[in-house]
Amino acid sequence: MTRLYLSNDTSARAAGAERLAQAWAHAPGVELVRTSSRGAFFLEPLVERDGPDGRPDSRIVWPNVKAEDLPNILAGIGGTPIGRIAFLAEQQRVTFANFGITGPLSLDDYRAHGGWQGLERARSLSPEAVIDELKTSKLRGRGGAAFPVWTKWQVAKDAAADQKYVVANADEGDAGTYCDRMIMEGEPFRLIEGMLICAKAIGATRGFIYCRQEYPAAARTLREAIAAAEQAGWLTHERERFHLEVFVGAGSYVCGEETALLESLEGRRGVVRAKPPYPALSGLYGKPTIVSNVLTFATVPSILARGGRWHASLGTEGSRGTMALQVGGRVKQPGLVEIPFGATLAEVIERFGGGMASGARFKAVQVGGPLGSLFPASRLDIPICYDAFSQAGAILGHGGIVVYDDETDMVELARHFMAFTADESCGKCTPCRIGSVRSREILEQLQSGHSRPGDLDLLADLSETMKAASLCALGQRAPYPVLTAIEHFGSEFRK
Amino acid sequence: MSRQSLAAVLARHRTKPPNILQALLEIQGALGAVSVRAVPEIAKALDVTEADVAGVLSYYPELRPAQPGRHLIRVCLGESCMANHGAKVLARVRAHLKIEVGETTRDGRFTLAPIYCVGNCAVGPSLMVDGDVIGRVNPDQVPALLDSYT
Ligand SMILES: Cc1cc2nc3c(=O)[nH]c(=O)nc-3n(C[C@H](O)[C@H](O)[C@H](O)COP(=O)(O)O)c2cc1C
Ligand code: FES
């Protein structure tokens, strides 16, 4: 029997892994093992075999495989040692270290590759000591706002309440991002472990994973993982059981905002609540609640296992640790890149993205999703870290990097952004509700050649009002992609 | 909408406090849609006001008041798919099915809807047909792809 590894991740399947699995299901001499994905999606479907010493880092891989390649793979013809795939070899994987190697729902695999060590350490410490470890680590939230994680945990821990909650924000609404999806589908136990550590630190006994409905495979995998972890006893500690459930959303972007998410979790319209009070004090059903991003929770286990100081030794002054960047759009090598903070945008696009896809010419790159900014070729020297981005008036958001080619019509893109905001605005505050509709109309008029003099000034005015007076970051930041498009590609708007 | 099964789904939902969104998602899962006409019965069963139920029903894009076609085609309009010229995919789908976004074909076979990212950005442009993600869609493949669904 020859063991072949093939990813079961949604994107690997969409790239053809499922077709291979079907074609080879009854192939003699083949044992097919489904794994998470390496995240080198430009190589999917990627087939792997054990290398000479059987270690995961010596596997031999075949990229972009077709069903008829099987005889060659079995004969060992044409494969590449995994260590020679530069896209992967040059990364510094921590949270995604096991991706492509382990079976998503195998508790044995998870244990054998370092799983639960963070939780075991946390359970041997006092809640205060767990929070101290996070303080030392300087971990900031990966969901967009980059808030120090330990301060939220401290507030929730210190609050006296009969019930506290831990909520994973798995709404992953920023288009161009998929690292949360990869975690939920590929190593769901890591998310569960992070949530259990948080529960231990703040004294919570209930948790929810709010998963967007666009991710059916993630929700399914999570439910199976929770059942498996529960059965293996991981959800119960000192006879206290942590109740963990998956809640699937219903297609609203603003429900990724933490207070709208809590409204939605309670079953109501996903409308933003005014802050304060912050969820750490008054969240789900008015109880102390930690809402954190999936990637944030998934980063916690290694901090507990390896120590906060180790985490703080990676990255830059204000941004410690590694960041999962999701490089996409018109690059040659789209995929997941986990590296310490600090590399420039140009380096990431060139070294990992492999430059532009064949035949395409660079026009702009958008970082931070629908609320992020566009950067032209002249601004790619910016280091990827929270401080440099905030100084530039931009955000790193959830790590989405989308490259546009020179066929992209900037006016149409700007209109598209504002139409999205107008659709997704929850309607609670006027600047966002009205401002986004009016801005979209101005861009539509511009597009149809019916703009009036002063329209762009009006757009700028509306944007300033939205930025200053909106209740949440949707209205506050939605003007940025539009304004940066006008700033860098103004001539297209003044035709 | 069969009253029998609406009642059956609602019977599972006598939880306190009631969760309107979850109840509506379950009804839609069982019956395909949540008819506006069912609002009074749902409100009564959950012990909330009709305005509460109607408000939630109208808020979420994925809650549908009418039965969709046999297949739900969702074309990704997220940034990464836009960068990969997914707009051309959408144009081909519209042309081939002769419907606009939000509409259902006259034979009831397809409903066309937009979707903002299915997390398949690295293998885009993306389509989601029912629950399946299809990647690296070339506009020229669209007619054959759609014709493969009956
Ligand atoms: C419009 C809007 C959408 C958001 N969407 C998400 C999302 O999809 N996922 C996420 O983790 N955070 C999202 N956030 C940020 C959350 O409000 C919150 O800051 C985050 O979940 C906190 O987790 P963290 O501390 O781990 O970053 C969004 C914020 C806004 C204003
Ligand atoms: S933008 Fe289309 S799948 Fe992410």
Side-chain angles (χ1 to χ4, degrees), chain A residues 141-143 152 169 171-173 256-258 291-293 296 473-474:
Chain A
R142 303 293 194 239
K152 292 207 288 198
N169 187 339
D171 200 49
E172 194 154 69
E257 194 282 334
E258 57 189 4
V291 183
S292 245
N293 173 253
T296 310
L474 178 57

Side-chain angles (χ1 to χ4, degrees), chain A residues 91-123:
Chain A
Q91 298 191 29
Q92 199 168 328
R93 292 257 174 120
V94 177
T95 304
F96 290 86
N98 300 335
F99 278 65
I101 295 168
T102 52
L105 287 167
S106 165
L107 280 163
D108 291 342
D109 279 5
Y110 189 57
R111 188 68 167 150
H113 289 82
W116 309 117
Q117 286 175 10
L119 179 63
E120 283 171 334
R121 168 117 195 285
R123 282 177 173 169

